[in-house]
Amino acid sequence: MNGPLAVTAAPSSNNAGRSNQAGAGEKVGQSSASKRSLRGLDWLNFFLADVQSGVGPFLAIYLAASGWNEQTIGIALTGGGIAGIIAQTPAGALADRVRSKRALIACGVIALAVGALMIAAHPSFWPVMAAQTLIGVSSSVFGPTVVAIALGLVGRELFDRRQGRNQTFNSAGNVVAAVSMGLIGYFLSNRGIFLFVVAFTIPTLWALATIRADQIDYDVARGLDTGDHRAASSSIAHLLKDRPLLIFMICAVLFHFANAAMLPLLGEMLSKGHGRASMMFMSACVITTQIVVTLLASWSGIKARQWGRKPLLLIAFGVLPVRGVLYTLTDSAPSLVAIQILDGIGAAIFGVVSVLVIADLTKGSGRFNLTLGAVTTAVGIGAALSQSVAGGIVHRFGYHAGFLFLAGVAAVALGLLWIAMPETQQNCSVTRSELRSK
């Protein structure tokens, strides 16, 4: 069911050592990675969330308060998305090839800070577009490179739990960022949010420095097995001929097309007539989502190993159309904030399980991060188009029409996943076959 790229290899002695210690969460990775490096990875995920949050949904409110209309905001957000789309696949290839993964992340963090300063200083069209391009390119390195570091530190056997832990700390960072930015936007100014982003680059770089580069297994980090020094020969075109991977990519694109515009549109809707309080509403939305993600991310990593990937993905995809419809049924700010619980459920599961699916389908290829970058590129296309298309629909027909359109796309994604996507975890498939035979 995994397709031609799911190469089965005998476990190396290093991986066996990791596996024999399984069952104690992060402790199982201590044979190859120190506590200091693993804690550094925790804090890297935490602080990266802080520096990235200010250029997400808060940007839509900042631009709306600066006199931008819905369509122009959508174009600006799309600009950053397009830059990220172009950079994602090369960023994944770099994560596979470059041994200095920490330096790659450091360059991205510094570039993101420069982009935030540009937005704060000049909230007009071309400076914002230039900053969004810089931010989109620099942010593209974070996802595949952080995942590569995690996989290289703990190995494939522990990656389920580690990915859940990464998402937990990332979401906790988003909560802190949302609270801080909401308070800054309300009591100081919207521009102060971008200065907050710049300030948090310092602890981000500190966390990065605490991860020991010599403890990252270069081969495992790119999808090979420990000690397997083969040059990866699979091209991205060959990888994308894998039917399950192609189906998953289409499902992921539709999911993010439906999801990406929902929170920015909600922020724009809340900003109408609420003035400075809109920042507090948006902060509450982000906090609600990220608290749920923080609570569910580690659980998702554990259950993805026990239940398999597909049951969890169906839950994540299933809550999205419900969320889009619910936005049209109330104008109450507290109710709209409460609906973000569904966003948290979907984000927690997809953020963890999608990476595990790609790891399953690229096992032994040596192209894990390149494939992750390519899938993220496709997802970025969906997300970027979402901002422009939904912004245009809202501009002409209103917010309810925009939310219902996005809910319809989400329902299509759910149906395709249910009908066409196979289970990718080999151990889960074997267990179910045995149960059926009994």
Side-chain angles (χ1 to χ4, degrees):
M1 299 294 287
N2 284 23
L5 298 178
V7 179
T8 302
S12 66
S13 59
N14 197 17
N15 280 343
R18 286 169 172 154
S19 180
N20 289 337
Q21 300 176 51
E26 207 54 37
K27 294 180 181 178
V28 295
Q30 291 179 356
S31 63
S32 58
S34 65
K35 288 184 178 179
R36 186 170 185 264
S37 290
L38 294 173
R39 295 295 177 264
L41 183 57
D42 289 340
W43 287 113
L44 177 62
N45 280 282
F46 180 89
F47 290 124
L48 273 179
D50 288 302
V51 300
Q52 287 184 279
S53 292
V55 290
F58 291 96
L59 177 61
I61 292 180
Y62 176 64
L63 296 178
S66 299
W68 293 44
N69 64 42
E70 295 89 349
Q71 194 163 20
T72 311
I73 291 172
I75 292 171
L77 296 177
T78 301
I82 291 174
I85 289 167
I86 295 171
Q88 282 292 349
T89 301
L94 278 175
D96 276 331
R97 291 180 177 273
V98 173
R99 290 183 178 272
S100 301
K101 302 185 191 304
R102 299 183 308 163
L104 194 58
I105 293 178
C107 291
V109 169
I110 294 169
L112 192 149
V114 172
L117 282 174
M118 291 173 62
I119 294 173
H122 303 287
S124 53
F125 185 79
W126 289 114
V128 169
M129 290 297 292
Q132 281 287 84
T133 300
L134 180 61
I135 290 168
V137 172
S138 61
S139 296
S140 67
V141 306
F142 298 145
T145 311
V146 170
V147 168
I149 290 174
L151 184 57
L153 284 175
V154 305
R156 188 178 299 278
E157 290 297 320
L158 308 179
F159 189 49
D160 306 72
R161 290 177 178 269
R162 181 67 248 186
Q163 182 60 19
R165 188 178 177 92
N166 285 351
Q167 193 69 24
T168 295
F169 274 84
N170 183 270
S171 299
N174 278 320
V175 172
V176 171
V179 172
S180 302
M181 292 174 185
L183 293 174
I184 290 171
Y186 185 79
F187 290 107
L188 298 177
S189 70
N190 292 345
R191 183 175 284 108
I193 289 173
F194 302 97
L195 301 179
F196 172 91
V197 170
V198 176
F200 261 76
T201 60
I202 297 173
T204 304
L205 295 174
W206 164 80
L208 187 62
T210 63
I211 300 172
R212 289 183 53 180
D214 61 341
Q215 294 180 350
I216 302 171
D217 190 314
Y218 172 72
D219 295 317
V220 172
R222 60 195 182 109
L224 293 173
D225 292 303
T226 302
D228 187 352
H229 302 297
R230 296 170 300 164
S233 59
S234 300
S235 67
I236 189 60
H238 175 69
L239 291 172
L240 294 181
K241 290 178 182 177
D242 184 340
R243 184 174 178 273
L245 181 58
L246 185 59
I247 291 171
F248 178 72
M249 180 183 289
I250 295 170
C251 291
V253 169
L254 291 174
F255 179 88
H256 279 273
F257 183 94
N259 182 66
M262 283 194 183
L263 188 56
L265 288 182
L266 180 62
E268 293 170 31
M269 187 168 68
L270 290 174
S271 70
K272 303 295 183 180
H274 289 96
R276 291 190 304 169
S278 61
M279 277 293 181
M280 295 298 290
F281 287 138
M282 178 54 68
S283 178
C285 288
V286 174
I287 290 169
T288 301
T289 297
Q290 296 305 325
I291 286 176
V292 175
V293 175
T294 303
L295 295 174
L296 288 183
S298 291
W299 175 88
S300 298
I302 294 169
K303 294 303 179 184
R305 190 170 188 83
Q306 295 176 352
W307 296 356
R309 320 309 194 195
K310 186 172 180 178
L312 286 171
L313 285 175
L314 287 171
I315 295 173
F317 278 63
V319 299
L320 187 54
V322 175
R323 176 177 156 222
V325 171
L326 288 177
Y327 282 148
T328 69
L329 301 180
T330 179
D331 294 325
S332 166
S335 297
L336 291 170
V337 170
I339 294 170
Q340 290 304 111
I341 293 173
L342 297 178
D343 186 26
I345 294 171
I349 296 173
F350 189 89
V352 173
V353 180
S354 62
V355 176
L356 301 180
V357 168
I358 296 170
D360 293 340
L361 296 174
T362 58
K363 185 179 186 298
S365 71
R367 296 291 194 182
F368 166 56
N369 297 292
L370 174 61
T371 307
L372 181 61
V375 172
T376 307
T377 296
V379 164
I381 293 173
L385 290 175
S386 174
Q387 305 284 0
S388 291
V389 174
I393 290 174
V394 169
H395 187 64
R396 290 171 176 79
F397 304 108
Y399 286 101
H400 286 187
F403 286 126
L404 290 176
F405 168 75
L406 295 174
V409 175
V412 172
L414 173 62
L416 180 61
L417 179 75
W418 190 355
I419 294 169
M421 184 68 195
E423 176 58 58
T424 62
Q425 188 188 16
Q426 288 181 331
N427 291 340
C428 176
S429 298
V430 171
T431 300
R432 288 177 178 174
S433 297
E434 292 174 349
L435 289 174
R436 283 195 299 267
S437 67
K438 293 179 181 179

